[in-house]
Amino acid sequence: MDPELGEGAVAFLIGNNDVAATVEASYFVSDEILDLWREEGNPIVRIWEDRFSMDEGYMSLVPEAVNGLIKKTGTKISDFTRAVVYGPDSRRHRDMIGKLKLDPKLVQEPFFGKMGNTGTAFTLQLLTSAMESVKAGDKILLVNYGNGADAMVIKATSSISKASTTRSLGKYLASKRIVGDYVKYASWRNLIPVAEPARRPPDEMPSPANLHRSRDRNFRFYGSKCRHCGTVQYPPTRICASCNTKDELDPYRLSDKPAKLFTYSYDLISRTKDPPVVVSLTDFEGGGRTRIILADGDVQRLQRGMPLEMSFRKSYYYPSEGITNYYWKSTPVRVE
Ligand SMILES: [Zn+2]
């Protein structure tokens, strides 16, 4: 199934006021079926025989939900401006569009071959893409599948035009990089074991007390800004490096500041699943410079002065303690 699948996540802000879209109506069908499943802790998904899964599951339950919604609300399929429909793969998706008698021109592109089926997140990711092309008053038919099927009417409000599309799904897909080596991908996903480098000193154990004390610095990425001279520093300090004032510095958030690459170095022997490790000196707009690992950067393309942004990453997992460390990295700006 590998060629059909993708990995992804999506998040929505839910509210009562000034929302970009509302859920006007919904209809749910529930059914217990083992068609596609994954045991807890197992990275591999399993499927049952295709014809059973499709005939008894997807092809049967999705129309039931859509017909139920249409009957419940008195709407017609032609009332919808856009349709976002889950599909396990491109062929079944196409079959379903025909079965539901939807105009293919109004159906959100499912990005098979560009993103793949990301499972739980998939349909809602497609919804974000569809929402970029609708205007106030437009109705979207949203259809999801999994142990049953959900059909919803989503209506765009007059606030839809204010919604930002800077970090849209389409732009992310357009800016993607290809991992040319399947072994590398499989090692990143812990699907194949990778030998630890030899002659490493033992890891220092992480301390929950220390992690808690330094949460502003490490998780929120706060530096400090001097009240007297305005100098920004990271890590935060008690004494200003410019005017030597003591304890007159305020917390200052750097995670959201545009940045530039001042300079960098890289090496091929540091422990990483994605060599080389690039260490950057990153300058922040408005002040502040820090030494930080630069991720997702193709060394051949790095240039002094190139725009960077901050990205919160999983930094290291300590299997003996079951603790995962998170920290920030700088990355080349992915989506303008
Ligand atoms: Zn100062």
Side-chain angles (χ1 to χ4, degrees), residues 226 228-231 240 242-245:
C226 176
H228 287 269
C229 71
T231 299
C240 174
S242 292
C243 70
N244 298 333
T245 310

Side-chain angles (χ1 to χ4, degrees), residues 117-297:
N117 180 351
T118 57
T120 308
F122 187 41
T123 312
L124 295 177
Q125 283 182 294
L126 300 183
L127 174 63
T128 64
S129 202
M131 283 175 71
E132 288 163 25
S133 62
V134 295
K135 51 188 192 312
D138 281 355
K139 282 182 184 172
I140 303 172
L141 171 67
L142 177 70
V143 189
N144 209 350
Y145 172 75
N147 269 25
D150 312 330
M152 293 186 194
V153 182
I154 310 275
K155 190 174 175 185
T157 72
S158 56
S159 295
I160 190 89
S161 55
K162 289 188 279 178
S164 167
T165 57
T166 308
R167 291 175 183 265
S168 71
L169 184 58
K171 285 182 183 174
Y172 273 123
L173 290 174
S175 71
K176 73 179 175 185
R177 289 172 57 205
I178 303 294
V179 179
D181 181 351
Y182 191 83
V183 173
K184 190 186 235 187
Y185 165 80
S187 74
W188 289 353
R189 287 288 167 266
N190 296 321
L191 298 171
I192 54 168
V194 178
E196 286 286 312
R199 290 184 291 127
R200 285 276 159 192
D203 290 321
E204 270 181 48
M205 284 305 147
S207 147
N210 190 25
L211 289 174
H212 186 69
R213 270 198 300 273
S214 52
R215 63 195 186 284
D216 276 357
R217 185 182 79 185
N218 291 353
F219 299 152
R220 297 179 183 133
F221 210 60
Y222 275 67
S224 54
K225 185 170 182 176
C226 176
R227 266 176 233 158
H228 287 269
C229 71
T231 299
V232 177
Q233 293 169 87
Y234 186 89
T237 55
R238 288 181 62 190
I239 296 173
C240 174
S242 292
C243 70
N244 298 333
T245 310
K246 190 179 175 191
D247 291 332
E248 295 279 339
L249 295 98
D250 295 315
Y252 181 79
R253 184 161 76 175
L254 288 165
S255 57
D256 60 347
K257 303 291 182 296
K260 281 196 163 63
L261 179 60
F262 177 68
T263 190
Y264 66 95
S265 65
Y266 65 92
D267 79 73
L268 291 151
I269 28 178
S270 292
R271 175 166 59 190
T272 174
K273 284 182 174 177
D274 186 22
V277 169
V278 181
V279 177
S280 74
L281 282 182
T282 293
D283 282 347
F284 295 93
E285 200 174 293
R289 169 179 293 172
T290 190
R291 190 185 64 182
I292 196 155
I293 289 178
L294 188 149
D296 305 343

Side-chain angles (χ1 to χ4, degrees), residues 5-33:
L5 298 180
E7 292 183 33
V10 63
F12 285 83
L13 282 174
I14 308 290
N16 291 321
N17 303 315
D18 203 25
V19 293
T22 54
V23 179
E24 296 284 296
S26 53
Y27 191 89
F28 308 117
V29 178
S30 174
D31 195 12
E32 180 60 38
I33 182 167

